[in-house]
Amino acid sequence: MFVMIITKDTVKNALRNVKDAVTAADAVISYGKVRRSGRHELKRLLTEPQYHVLLSRISAVLEPDSYMPEPEGYRVSSLYLDDLAESAYYEKLSGVHHRVKYRFRWYNYSPELIHLECKEKRGDRIFKRSAAVSRNCLESYIKGDYRLLDACDAPVCREVSRLSRERGLSPRVVVCYTRQAFQHPLSHTRITFDTALTADPRFDCLFSRGSEALFPVPLPMLMPAHMSPGCILEIKYNEYIPKYISELLTSHSEVLAMSKYVLCRDALNLIH
């Protein structure tokens, strides 16, 4: 008779192998889904009271995402690019169904992790491509030197270099805000609350904490003065939003048609 002795270590190893296999499979499925069908993205404009109510509801049932070590959130900075025709700006205003937008993005004023991203909208789906770049690459690009982008293997880097030469793609504005982000692990639903939106037309102090506070951006006056907006709510998902999350997010909030890039460009135009 064959007898198998099962120890705690045996069980732990078996569970670890199952977990690794599930994680790997999920990564493949998620990668294929994003590449094939993109994601949906909804935006809402919240008043200060609505922001606090919905944040309390969501934080009680969803885990913070891996980028948010503190409950207060983290600072997101993006250097947006546009061409000589200002295509990204005007195509957004016109509601063009197929449009692209390019940006460099980093977090908490740190140059340790910088991504060059292409955000593409096709109908009601959002597709995103990105590549990690160095601080030297970003600063060289701002000065009009594209050689470090040319040396990158990622297609999005060579694409930005080509468009910069052919269509005059160049930096337009630095957009910053504080983000509190939460995610549903199974449905790939991500809920973010973005506050303290600021804009800066200068590109020489990208990693200086607080430098962009000189240009606070008031959110659109879509509601009465006594209900001044306080937050941009973003809901991103692949195929569906779990019903209980959708119910938690119920509010009389306004749909936000404009992007942060457009809001900040408009704010700077008013200042200047």
Side-chain angles (χ1 to χ4, degrees):
M1 181 176 63
F2 177 75
V3 178
M4 177 180 290
I5 299 176
I6 301 177
T7 65
K8 286 186 177 180
D9 289 338
T10 304
V11 174
K12 286 182 179 179
N13 290 334
L15 290 174
R16 188 179 299 113
N17 291 338
V18 170
K19 182 179 179 181
D20 291 343
V22 170
T23 301
D26 183 66
V28 172
I29 293 171
S30 176
Y31 177 78
K33 183 175 289 185
V34 171
R35 292 276 297 198
R36 184 177 65 251
S37 58
R39 284 167 68 78
H40 295 279
E41 185 174 297
L42 306 175
K43 294 183 181 181
R44 297 289 185 270
L45 192 62
L46 304 181
T47 63
E48 190 77 17
Q50 288 172 333
Y51 157 59
H52 289 296
V53 169
L54 295 187
L55 177 63
S56 176
R57 292 177 184 174
I58 293 300
S59 61
V61 298
L62 294 183
E63 291 292 325
D65 76 0
S66 57
Y67 295 102
M68 193 172 81
E70 302 295 335
E72 294 77 15
Y74 53 94
R75 200 68 176 159
V76 180
S77 302
S78 300
L79 174 61
Y80 280 90
L81 315 178
D82 213 339
D83 58 21
L84 292 176
E86 298 192 311
S87 301
Y89 178 83
Y90 287 110
E91 287 179 358
K92 174 60 180 178
L93 288 180
S94 302
V96 175
H97 286 277
H98 187 188
R99 58 183 185 267
V100 295
K101 186 164 52 183
Y102 298 94
R103 67 193 179 199
F104 289 89
R105 172 164 286 189
W106 59 97
Y107 303 94
N108 289 328
Y109 309 101
S110 172
E112 297 301 317
L113 181 63
I114 305 172
H115 283 100
L116 173 57
E117 300 178 345
C118 172
K119 189 174 183 180
E120 181 176 0
K121 181 176 176 62
R122 302 181 207 163
D124 62 349
R125 300 274 181 161
I126 301 294
F127 297 78
K128 188 184 291 185
R129 295 177 288 129
S130 68
V133 298
S134 66
R135 177 176 184 170
N136 192 24
C137 180
L138 169 56
E139 292 177 340
S140 295
Y141 176 81
I142 291 173
K143 296 174 183 176
D145 183 351
Y146 312 137
R147 289 175 294 177
L148 292 178
L149 280 183
D150 292 333
C152 293
D153 292 331
V156 67
C157 292
R158 295 194 295 271
E159 187 176 317
V160 167
S161 177
R162 176 179 59 81
L163 291 173
S164 298
R165 291 183 171 94
E166 295 177 358
R167 296 173 52 184
L169 193 72
S170 63
R172 293 308 177 97
V173 64
V174 179
V175 175
C176 298
Y177 50 89
T178 299
R179 168 162 284 181
Q180 294 163 290
F182 303 87
Q183 60 187 0
H184 188 282
L186 299 180
S187 68
H188 301 287
T189 299
R190 191 163 186 257
I191 310 297
T192 60
F193 298 87
D194 298 336
T195 57
L197 180 64
T198 62
D200 197 336
R202 306 165 302 171
F203 311 132
D204 57 351
C205 51
L206 299 180
F207 307 105
S208 299
R209 182 176 297 272
S211 63
E212 81 287 349
L214 294 174
F215 302 93
V217 178
L219 294 178
M221 297 301 177
L222 300 179
M223 289 171 273
H226 70 281
M227 297 177 61
S228 57
C231 174
I232 296 175
L233 169 69
E234 294 190 2
I235 307 165
K236 301 173 184 178
Y237 62 99
N238 285 355
E239 302 300 335
Y240 68 95
I241 305 173
K243 184 178 179 181
Y244 78 96
I245 295 179
S246 181
E247 291 174 347
L248 289 175
L249 291 172
T250 300
S251 69
H252 298 291
S253 56
E254 297 283 343
V255 175
L256 182 63
M258 282 192 244
S259 68
K260 296 185 185 76
Y261 169 60
V262 170
L263 291 174
C264 289
R265 284 289 305 275
D266 287 348
L268 291 179
N269 288 338
L270 289 175
I271 294 172
H272 296 87

